[in-house]
Amino acid sequence: MAVQRWTEGYPVASGTYAISARDNGVMNAYLGTCVGVTLCDRKAGVGGLIHLLLPEPTGEDAFGKPENYASTGLPIFITALCNKGAKPERLEAAIAGGALVGPLSELDLNLDIGGRTVEIV
C-alpha cells in the first residue's frame, strides 16, 4: 500500500492504514467493533493509524486484504512505518475500539470480534 498524504481530519477507512511525517495532523476512523491502532516514533517524526476489522483471517480470505486483520495487518503497518524511518523500540502506541455494539445476541457475545481483535493487537 502506498503511503497516503493527508490533510487535517484525514479519514482512514476500514481495512486500510495511513502514515504521515507531518506534525500536529489529525487522522480519524469511525470505530465500533473495529479497532484503531496508532503508532508513532517521535524521534523519527513519523506515525500512522491502521483501522482493523477482524482479529484474524479464516482460511484464504487474508490474501486479498491482509490489512483487514490484526494478525496480518499490524505487521504490515509496522513494517511500513519502519520503511519511513521509525524504529520498533521507539514506537508509542494507542488503541481504541473493539466495542460490543447492540442490540446483542448470544452469538455476538460468544464471538466477541472486537475483544478478540484487541487481544491480538
Side-chain angles (χ1 to χ4, degrees), residues 25-36:
V26 175
M27 294 179 186
N28 55 46
Y30 298 99
L31 306 171
T33 59
C34 291
V35 174

Side-chain angles (χ1 to χ4, degrees), residues 19-65:
I19 296 173
S20 178
R22 181 178 154 196
D23 290 335
N24 300 320
V26 175
M27 294 179 186
N28 55 46
Y30 298 99
L31 306 171
T33 59
C34 291
V35 174
V37 180
T38 63
L39 293 172
C40 77
D41 178 338
R42 293 178 195 268
K43 185 173 181 183
V46 65
L49 168 66
I50 187 166
H51 186 159
L52 302 164
L53 281 88
L54 298 166
E56 55 198 351
T58 56
E60 296 182 18
D61 55 350
F63 296 112
K65 194 77 166 116

Side-chain angles (χ1 to χ4, degrees), residues 2 4 6-7 9 14 21 28 30 39-40 52 58-60 62 68 70 72 81 87 97-98 101 108-109:
Q4 299 174 355
W6 53 281
T7 59
S14 56
N28 55 46
Y30 298 99
L39 293 172
C40 77
L52 302 164
T58 56
E60 296 182 18
N68 283 339
T72 54
L81 285 164
K87 300 289 183 202
V101 179
D108 294 323
L109 294 172

Side-chain angles (χ1 to χ4, degrees), residues 60-112:
E60 296 182 18
D61 55 350
F63 296 112
K65 194 77 166 116
E67 294 89 353
N68 283 339
Y69 309 97
S71 63
T72 54
L74 201 53
I76 291 168
F77 180 51
I78 293 169
T79 298
L81 285 164
C82 292
N83 288 342
K84 292 296 177 186
K87 300 289 183 202
E89 63 273 11
R90 293 193 307 243
L91 289 173
E92 298 175 36
I95 64 172
L100 285 169
V101 179
L104 299 173
S105 69
E106 187 71 29
L107 179 60
D108 294 323
L109 294 172
N110 289 333
L111 288 175
D112 188 20

